[in-house]
Amino acid sequence: MTSRPVSMAVAQPSRRLLLRLLGGTALLPLAGCGVLSSYATPLDQYTLSPKTTFQNPPPKVEWQLVVEKPIAAAGIDTARVALSRNPYQVEYFAKAAWTDNAPSMVQTLLIDSFQNTGSIVGVGREAIGLRPDFLLKTDLREFQANYRDNDPIPEIHVKMIARLVKLPERRIIASMTADRKAKAAGTKFTDVVDAFDDALGGVIKQIVIFTLRAPSGDLGGMTGVEIAPPEAPATTGTSP
């Protein structure tokens, strides 16, 4: 699936209409070292798509999962669409924003993607009152368009670290790093959003498969995975 722009004035306009309105719009970066607390002019809002297809269908599981909101640095914990011209500075596109802060948007897309597998009994945010067997904790480390070497076409970089926690022990049983880059097809902002959708989609698919396989230990062939050592059994007896 591709990206789904959302207008501020209308809840769900057609993608075709927004592409016609914005298709000729070139990238308009806005310089800035930190997160902007308010917006001087209305911004076009965009969202990304949850995943609906998986190359290798994940296994069906009989447990429930809570997906926490990802932790993120202040530079990407914002609704502004981040870009970077060098590794030391964060900037933002001038006339565009996500429909929610990036970590909250990613949390929603993760939950929707788990639901779309049809493989899990229950999944959601902690607030909905699930009785989870596992907790998925994530860090959103990279979520920006990188411009390098005077290339006007950016490369999108998305990187997340995922940790699966067994409840009620709250013990991490496995962790993984999912890292994906996607080159935009051109300089139009819609090209950039489509590349964000591609990069984040690849990361989400890896995390979904990892999460559903980890409790059974079936993680063969997956990269960036670390299995936690088994918990030492409790010892009994008296000291000499």
Side-chain angles (χ1 to χ4, degrees):
M1 295 179 65
T2 56
S3 56
R4 299 175 294 168
V6 178
S7 166
M8 295 185 69
V10 181
Q12 292 290 340
S14 71
R15 174 178 172 80
R16 182 176 301 175
L17 174 59
L18 278 178
L19 286 178
R20 187 162 62 246
L21 292 173
L22 300 171
T25 304
L27 302 178
L28 297 172
L30 174 66
C33 297
V35 177
L36 303 182
S37 60
S38 61
Y39 310 140
T41 58
L43 303 176
D44 295 316
Q45 289 190 315
Y46 295 82
T47 189
L48 303 177
S49 62
K51 300 303 103 182
T52 59
T53 59
F54 296 82
Q55 185 175 2
N56 298 313
K60 291 188 178 295
V61 298
E62 299 299 324
W63 40 263
Q64 299 186 69
L65 174 71
V66 159
V67 178
E68 286 191 348
K69 186 174 80 170
I71 297 170
I76 55 178
D77 189 5
T78 172
R80 300 307 297 264
V81 183
L83 66 93
S84 172
R85 302 181 195 276
N86 62 67
Y88 314 107
Q89 186 178 20
V90 177
E91 304 175 70
Y92 304 97
F93 291 101
K95 295 185 178 181
W98 303 119
T99 54
D100 203 343
N101 278 24
S104 296
M105 180 177 67
V106 171
Q107 179 191 29
T108 297
L109 295 173
L110 277 168
I111 291 170
D112 289 348
S113 297
F114 276 109
Q115 292 173 334
N116 289 341
T117 67
S119 296
I120 189 166
V121 172
V123 59
R125 295 172 176 80
E126 192 168 7
I128 70 171
L130 285 173
R131 289 188 174 181
D133 303 284
F134 293 94
L135 177 68
L136 181 63
K137 302 174 74 69
T138 57
D139 294 0
L140 184 60
R141 294 293 180 88
E142 306 283 347
F143 194 69
Q144 74 280 337
N146 290 329
Y147 290 84
R148 298 291 187 267
D149 302 321
N150 296 317
D151 187 349
I153 299 177
E155 181 179 64
I156 308 306
H157 189 189
V158 178
K159 179 179 179 181
M160 293 183 69
I161 297 174
R163 300 174 182 86
L164 188 61
V165 179
K166 179 72 171 67
L167 298 177
E169 302 95 316
R170 301 194 73 85
R171 178 175 63 88
I172 296 175
I173 65 169
S175 62
M176 77 164 301
T177 299
D179 194 341
R180 187 176 176 111
K181 297 177 181 178
K183 186 78 171 179
T187 60
K188 297 176 183 177
F189 190 70
T190 49
D191 295 328
V192 176
V193 177
D194 283 340
F196 264 106
D197 198 61
D198 184 9
L200 179 61
V203 166
I204 285 177
K205 286 184 178 182
Q206 292 180 60
I207 291 176
V208 168
I209 297 296
F210 156 78
T211 302
L212 295 177
R213 288 183 178 178
S216 67
D218 181 21
L219 293 170
M222 296 197 70
T223 60
V225 173
E226 294 184 8
I227 307 296
E231 192 172 24
T235 58
T236 58
T238 58
S239 300

